[in-house]
Amino acid sequence: MTGQPRDDAAASVALRPYLAARMRPLALLLFVLVSAAAPLAAYVQSLRTLRYEAAATAGEVAAILDREVQERPTLWRYDSLKLLTHLRAITARPNIARVELIDRAGERVDLREDDEAHAPVDELLWAASPLVINGELVGHVWAAARPDAAARTALLVLAPFSLLGLALSLLVYFLPLRAMGQAERRIDGLIARLRESQAELERFNQRLEQQVAARSVELTRANDALVRKEERLREVSSRAIALQESERRVIARELHDSAGQALTAIRINLQLIAGAAGNAAMIERLATRTLEVADATVEEIRRAVVLLGPAILDDFGLAVAVRRYCDDFVERTGLELHAEIDLPEAGLAPALESACYRILQEGLTNVSRHARAAEVSVRLTCTEGHVTLEIADDGAGFDPDAIGPRPVGAGGRGLVGIRERVDLLGGELTIDSRPGEGARLTVTLPRRERDASS
């Protein structure tokens, strides 16, 4: 039925019917030519031979008559019956049907008296030879040969040549078909392999498209993540700058509120001392108070200097600075603190050491202000590729999900500042805490060694 798509998987190359349709006329023509050519040639050659034989017989009879008349003229005149009997015996050959003598008067004498002498004239092959006696043409000798021998010879040749023609035509017909069948099978095999290759190529193309789509999705996600990270870095950078300005304002306010007031009190006390020159007890009391105020001022200035940039990091390294700060924290708060510090002797990069120190300050400050803890543990270790700072307490705990970005100047920015410092260094911050179950803050930063020029 036309109009329906052909199943390519079941289709094959059909060359044999096409070749067979064109080989059949050629094979039939070859059979006819081989079967008929040789018998026809044999028949024609046999007829020619019979005609030659008849002509030879007629010439031989004419020669005998001429010789007999020359030798025995009397016999020619008075014993013609005996001569005819002699000629009939000579002319009785297998392929000669009739031998006749026709004189000048048109009289016909049949030299053979058998049954074949009465055969139809149209069915015989005639040949003539002139009869010349004493130099005078007296008649013609006609000899007729039977064509049956030629037909028999043609039939005898026809049988084997028909078989030969049939064999040749079959060979000419079937050998190309056999070769074409082998070619069809090879072509079908090639087409099948081509279809398999095409199917495999389509499957590979589909897999490639899927991989490209998956890789495109991954690249899109990575690009989105990179864009978000860049936005986060810009946000963190702006917040870091704002945080730095905020810290500077806090330090300036602390210096103004504490150191400024203390210096003002010292100045007032010095004026009072100058005015009470004759009162030794008042001078001693004012001097003692002024000394205490001066000591407190020095402590406030030292604390501010530590906040601005702890010199102990540059002088003794991170391990000593952490231990010193932990000791000061215990002295200020009275909490029990356990410290485990394992750092390389060569030290770390200055920015990494400063970040660890600042994160430790923020973490312990949050513990002292909000945790209501009795025991604190600090663990600072260094592996092959990372630096890990862990601060844990047994205090009140909190909900980490409630910690989010806050405006600069608002309270509760300790953990936010820690997160921003960690993001700036490409690290990771983990907070494990629940209300009433304490808190554990873990910071992991990529390790960078201290430069030789640092």
Side-chain angles (χ1 to χ4, degrees):
M1 182 176 180
T2 61
Q4 295 182 352
R6 187 182 62 178
D7 188 7
D8 293 338
S12 60
V13 178
L15 297 178
R16 292 188 65 189
Y18 177 82
L19 181 62
R22 278 138 183 88
M23 289 299 296
R24 278 193 291 268
L26 179 61
L28 180 61
L29 178 62
L30 179 63
F31 173 73
V32 171
L33 289 177
V34 174
S35 300
L40 183 60
Y43 182 73
V44 172
Q45 184 64 31
S46 297
L47 291 179
R48 186 178 298 174
T49 302
L50 290 175
R51 194 179 297 275
Y52 288 158
E53 186 176 356
T57 301
E60 185 177 357
V61 170
I64 291 174
L65 289 175
D66 181 45
R67 186 177 60 253
E68 290 294 333
V69 169
Q70 292 292 336
E71 292 178 357
R72 294 182 292 275
T74 303
L75 182 62
W76 171 252
R77 295 192 181 117
Y78 302 105
D79 199 6
S80 59
L81 292 177
K82 186 176 180 179
L83 176 62
L84 292 176
T85 303
H86 179 66
L87 290 176
R88 292 191 183 105
I90 295 174
T91 59
R93 294 180 179 178
N95 293 327
I96 301 301
R98 296 175 66 175
V99 178
E100 294 180 355
L101 175 62
I102 299 176
D103 57 13
R104 288 181 295 182
E107 296 293 334
R108 176 177 296 184
V109 178
D110 194 349
L111 301 180
R112 298 188 62 168
E113 292 184 345
D114 52 4
D115 296 334
E116 294 179 355
H118 303 285
V121 176
D122 297 337
E123 296 179 0
L124 300 177
L125 298 176
W126 290 91
S129 177
L131 178 60
V132 179
I133 299 176
N134 296 324
E136 181 182 359
L137 179 63
V138 297
H140 290 81
V141 178
W142 290 84
R146 295 187 303 271
D148 298 342
R152 287 194 299 271
T153 302
L155 290 176
L156 291 176
V157 175
L158 178 63
F161 273 87
S162 297
L163 295 177
L164 178 61
L166 179 62
L168 290 177
S169 61
L170 291 177
L171 287 176
V172 171
Y173 181 76
F174 284 106
L175 284 180
L177 291 182
R178 179 182 178 185
M180 188 60 68
Q182 296 177 353
E184 281 184 357
R185 289 190 292 272
R186 292 180 181 178
I187 293 173
D188 290 339
L190 292 176
I191 292 176
R193 288 195 294 271
L194 181 61
R195 287 171 179 163
E196 292 177 358
S197 301
Q198 185 178 3
E200 182 65 25
L201 183 60
E202 291 178 355
R203 291 192 294 270
F204 177 76
N205 189 23
Q206 293 177 357
R207 290 196 299 269
L208 184 61
E209 290 179 354
Q210 293 174 357
Q211 292 177 359
V212 170
R215 185 59 58 87
S216 299
V217 173
E218 293 177 359
L219 290 177
T220 302
R221 292 176 180 174
N223 186 43
D224 294 340
L226 182 60
V227 171
R228 290 193 298 270
K229 188 172 183 180
E230 290 179 354
E231 293 177 354
R232 178 67 177 168
L233 286 176
R234 286 194 295 269
E235 182 181 355
V236 169
S237 299
S238 61
R239 288 184 179 179
I241 295 174
L243 179 62
Q244 184 179 12
E245 295 297 329
S246 176
E247 289 178 348
R248 289 178 180 178
R249 287 193 295 270
V250 170
I251 293 172
R253 186 168 56 252
E254 290 290 336
L255 290 177
H256 179 270
D257 293 342
S258 60
Q261 292 176 5
L263 290 176
T264 302
I266 291 173
R267 184 176 182 280
I268 293 172
N269 289 336
L270 289 177
Q271 290 178 351
L272 293 175
I273 290 173
N279 191 346
M282 182 177 293
I283 292 173
E284 182 179 0
R285 187 172 59 254
L286 291 174
T288 301
R289 186 180 301 169
T290 302
L291 182 60
E292 293 175 355
V293 172
D295 291 339
T297 302
V298 171
E299 182 63 24
E300 289 293 335
I301 293 174
R302 185 183 69 82
R303 190 175 303 158
V305 170
V306 170
L307 289 175
L308 287 173
I312 191 172
L313 281 176
D314 298 330
D315 296 338
F316 300 101
L318 180 60
V320 175
V322 170
R323 290 191 181 93
R324 179 70 60 83
Y325 188 83
C326 290
D327 293 340
D328 293 343
F329 178 81
V330 172
E331 184 179 348
R332 290 196 313 270
T333 62
L335 299 178
E336 184 178 353
L337 188 145
H338 303 281
E340 179 183 351
I341 301 172
D342 183 12
L343 296 176
E345 295 182 359
L348 304 173
L352 185 58
E353 289 187 348
S354 177
C356 290
Y357 188 79
R358 295 301 187 188
I359 292 171
L360 176 67
Q361 283 182 328
E362 293 286 353
L364 292 180
T365 300
N366 287 339
V367 171
S368 64
R369 289 179 180 178
H370 310 292
R372 299 191 299 276
E375 185 176 350
V376 184
S377 64
V378 175
R379 185 170 178 267
L380 180 60
T381 59
C382 184
T383 59
E384 182 177 355
H386 297 87
V387 177
T388 303
L389 174 61
E390 184 180 288
I391 302 174
D393 65 77
D394 59 353
F398 59 94
D399 184 8
D401 296 334
I403 304 299
R406 298 189 180 186
V408 177
R413 282 189 49 84
L415 290 177
V416 177
I418 292 174
R419 183 176 286 112
E420 291 175 351
R421 292 183 187 275
V422 172
D423 290 341
L424 284 174
L425 294 175
E428 181 180 358
L429 171 63
T430 303
I431 301 175
D432 184 12
S433 178
R434 283 181 290 183
E437 297 184 7
R440 182 182 300 276
L441 183 145
T442 305
V443 175
T444 303
L445 300 174
R447 178 179 174 180
R448 291 191 292 271
E449 303 293 342
R450 179 184 292 271
D451 296 336
S453 60
S454 299

